[in-house]
Amino acid sequence: MAGPGAPLPPELPPPVLPPPVLPPAPPVGGPWGAGRPYDPAAGRPAALAGLIGADWRPALRAVVAPTAVLLLAALIAAVPESDYYSAPFDSPPFGKRLGSSLAMALGALGAPYRLSLGTEWGESSSVFRALPMTVTVLWLLALWLGLRVGARSRQQRTGEQQTRRQAAAEAVRTAVVAAAATLLLGLVGGTRWHPGGRGLGMDSADALQGLGRTTYGASAGWWEAVAWTALLAGLLAFAVHGTDALRWAAWRNRAVRGWAVAGLAAGRALAVSVALAAVAGFVLVAVRADGDLTGAAVAFLPNLGLLLLGVGSGAVFRAGSSVASDGVPDWRTRPYDANEYSFFDPGTAGADWRWSVLLALVSAVVLGRTAFRRRLDPADRLRLAAVYAVGLSLLMLVAGTLVSTESVVGPLLRSRDFGSEDSLSLVPWTLLVANAVWAAVGALAVPPLLAALDRPSAPPADRDPGEPGAESAGVTPMVLEVVDSEDGRRPAAPVPEDGGPVDPSVWSRRP
C-alpha cells in the first residue's frame, strides 16, 4: 500500500464498447405490403418498358411535318367560298368550312368522307371513298424527310447503327404518335351547319310549312384513317431506321438481296411512270375542263395518271351506277348499269383514248432502262417484273372512286328507303393481266434491246484494258466499290498488301 507521499497511478482510458448490433431493417414494402423491394419497372412487359423508357422526341419531331401537310390541305380547300351556297343559302362560315375540309383531308389516309342532310321529310347521307393521292404522297414525303433527319442526327450523336430490334421499337413509337395525331384531327374535324335561306332556304318564313330546320353534316371515318396511318408510318419508319440492318440482311442472303434490289428498282420506275402519267392527266383536265374542276383535280393527279395508264395498258375502265329501293312495291329497282371503256374497243371512247398507249410504252421503257442500268440478271429481272406488276396493280385499285347514297324518307312517305351507288374504277382482273404483260415486256425484252444498241466496239488487240486510254477505246474499266460491313467500318486498303485475292464479302465489282 502506497504511502501518503507516493504518486497516484495513471488514469486508465474508458473502455471502448463495441457498437450495438441492431436488427436488420425490414425491406421497403411494396404498395400492398408484400415485403419485397419496390421496383417501378418490375412486372412490366418488355415491350411496354421499352416504350415508356425510350426517347419519344424523334418520333414527335418526325410527325410534325406530315400533320402540317394535312392542315395545309384543309386550309387551302376551306378558304374559297362555294358558289353553290351563295345562291339559295347563306355561305357557311370559315370555321364550318374548315371543319368539313379537315374531314375531307383525312381521306388521304383512307377515311371515308360522309355528308348528311336532315329535314322533316327524312334524312339522306352520302359516303365518298376517294383517295386524294397528291395529299397522300406529300404526307409520305414529309414523314420520310422527318425520319431521315432524325436518323442522321442520332447517328451523328451516338455514332452507332441501329439494330433490327431498335428499328422496330422506333417504328412502333412513330406509328403510335402518327396515329394519335390522326385521331386528334379526326375528332376535331367535321361540322354541323344550319343554313339560313335568302330565298329558297328551308329556314325562311315563306318556306314550306312543316319542314323544320335543315341540317347539314360532314364527318370522316377517322378510325380507318388511324389504322392506315399506323400501318404506313410504322413501315416507313422501320425502312428508314432499319436501313443498315436491312442491308446487312440482304448482304448475307442472296435471295433477300435480289428481292431488295428488285423492290428498290421497281419503286423508282413506278415513281417516274406515275409522275409522267399524272402530268398527262393534268394537261388533259386543264384543256377539257373549267377552272374550278382543274383546281380540284390537283388533289387527284396520281389518280388520273393511274387511270390513264391503266386504260393505255389495256385494262377496262368501268363507270357504274345502281339504284335500289326498299319498301316500295310499285317501284322497280334499276339494275347495275355499267359503261365500260377499253383500248381494244374504239367505239366506246373514241380515238382520243388511243393516245394513252404512249404512257404504257414509256413506262415499259423506263422499267427496262432501270433494269439495264443496274445490270440485273434474268432472275433479278423476273423479280423486278413481279414486284412492278403487283405494286402498280395495287395503286390502280385504290385510284378509283366510290360514292354511295342512302335516303330514309320520313313519316309522310311511310319510311321508305332509297339507295344508290356510283363508281369509277378499273376492272381488277384486266389491270392485273395488263400490268403483268407490260412489266414482262419492260423487264425482259427492253434490256436486251438497250444492250444491243449500247454495245461498245471491240478494243484493239494491242491495247491493254488497264492502261490509259483504254476507256476511250471502248473498254469499260472495272472499279472496286466498298461494301459497308455491319458495324459501318470499311477496310483500310482496297488490295491486300501481300497481293492475295480480294475478299468477295468486302468488295464488289461494278462497271
Side-chain angles (χ1 to χ4, degrees):
M1 187 171 187
L8 297 176
E11 296 182 0
L12 299 175
V16 179
L17 300 177
V21 179
L22 300 178
V28 179
W32 300 104
R36 292 175 296 180
Y38 175 69
D39 185 6
R44 291 179 182 172
L48 182 60
L51 289 176
I52 295 178
D55 186 10
W56 287 73
R57 289 175 296 178
L60 292 172
R61 286 193 292 263
V63 175
V64 171
T67 306
V69 168
L70 295 178
L71 293 175
L72 182 60
L75 182 63
I76 293 175
V79 167
E81 294 186 6
S82 176
D83 295 334
Y84 172 77
Y85 295 109
S86 61
F89 299 107
D90 292 335
S91 177
F94 175 76
K96 301 294 184 181
R97 299 198 305 270
L98 182 60
S100 178
S101 300
L102 190 58
M104 192 182 303
L106 290 180
L109 299 176
Y113 179 66
R114 294 186 176 92
L115 282 176
S116 61
L117 170 65
T119 63
E120 291 295 330
W121 289 90
E123 297 180 357
S124 66
S125 62
S126 299
V127 180
F128 298 85
R129 289 188 177 272
L131 189 69
M133 287 189 173
T134 302
V135 184
T136 306
V137 171
L138 293 177
W139 186 87
L140 290 172
L141 180 61
L143 180 60
W144 178 78
L145 291 176
L147 292 171
R148 289 279 295 176
V149 171
R152 288 183 177 180
S153 62
R154 178 172 181 173
Q155 188 173 7
Q156 292 176 358
R157 185 176 64 256
T158 61
E160 298 178 354
Q161 297 179 353
Q162 288 187 330
T163 62
R164 283 178 293 180
R165 184 184 298 273
Q166 293 173 341
E170 194 67 36
V172 171
R173 289 191 289 270
T174 304
V176 170
V177 175
T182 303
L183 175 61
L184 181 61
L185 294 179
L187 296 178
V188 174
T191 185
R192 293 183 65 84
W193 174 53
H194 304 286
R198 291 195 296 266
L200 300 177
M202 296 302 181
D203 294 332
S204 56
D206 55 348
L208 296 176
Q209 298 295 327
L211 291 181
R213 197 176 189 186
T214 305
T215 302
Y216 288 90
S219 61
W222 53 264
W223 64 271
E224 297 182 35
V226 169
W228 283 109
T229 299
L231 179 61
L232 295 176
L235 292 177
L236 190 59
F238 183 76
V240 172
H241 290 283
T243 300
D244 298 322
L246 293 176
R247 286 178 178 175
W248 175 247
W251 178 79
R252 296 180 62 183
N253 193 310
R254 176 66 179 86
V256 175
R257 182 165 64 253
W259 286 107
V261 171
L264 293 175
R268 293 180 180 180
L270 276 174
V272 176
S273 301
V274 175
L276 294 176
V279 172
F282 178 74
V283 173
L284 182 63
V285 173
V287 171
R288 293 176 175 261
D290 56 1
D292 294 338
L293 186 58
T294 303
V298 174
F300 297 91
L301 288 182
N303 305 62
L304 296 174
L306 288 168
L307 293 178
L308 284 176
L309 182 58
V311 173
S313 300
V316 177
F317 177 77
R318 175 181 293 171
S321 63
S322 63
V323 176
S325 60
D326 183 19
V328 187
D330 55 340
W331 282 25
R332 293 183 179 180
T333 301
R334 182 161 61 92
Y336 189 80
D337 185 13
N339 296 321
E340 295 184 349
Y341 305 91
S342 174
F343 176 81
F344 303 102
D345 189 2
T348 56
D352 292 341
W353 288 93
R354 291 296 182 92
W355 291 102
S356 60
V357 72
L358 296 178
L359 294 176
L361 291 173
V362 171
S363 300
V365 172
V366 169
L367 181 63
R369 181 169 176 79
T370 302
F372 173 73
R373 293 186 62 185
R374 300 183 75 91
R375 300 295 192 268
L376 301 181
D377 57 15
D380 288 335
R381 293 205 299 268
L382 283 175
R383 296 188 184 97
L384 175 62
V387 175
Y388 181 87
V390 172
L392 186 57
S393 300
L394 291 177
L395 290 177
M396 288 182 177
L397 283 176
V398 299
T401 61
L402 177 64
V403 180
S404 58
T405 303
E406 295 182 358
S407 301
V408 179
V409 182
L412 296 179
L413 294 180
R414 299 179 183 178
S415 300
R416 295 171 178 175
D417 298 341
F418 306 93
S420 65
E421 185 174 289
D422 301 299
S423 63
L424 298 174
S425 61
L426 296 171
V427 179
W429 72 269
T430 61
L431 66 89
L432 183 59
V433 173
N435 291 332
V437 171
W438 283 102
V441 171
L444 301 179
V446 174
L449 295 177
L450 296 178
L453 296 175
D454 194 48
R455 181 175 299 170
S457 59
D462 57 349
R463 181 65 62 90
D464 183 23
E467 66 182 11
E471 184 177 358
S472 62
V475 177
T476 304
M478 303 297 292
V479 296
L480 293 176
E481 180 186 18
V482 179
V483 178
D484 293 340
S485 58
E486 185 182 17
D487 56 358
R489 295 179 296 178
R490 298 186 176 187
V495 180
E497 297 180 356
D498 56 356
V502 180
D503 185 6
S505 65
V506 177
W507 302 96
S508 66
R509 296 174 65 87
R510 66 173 177 85

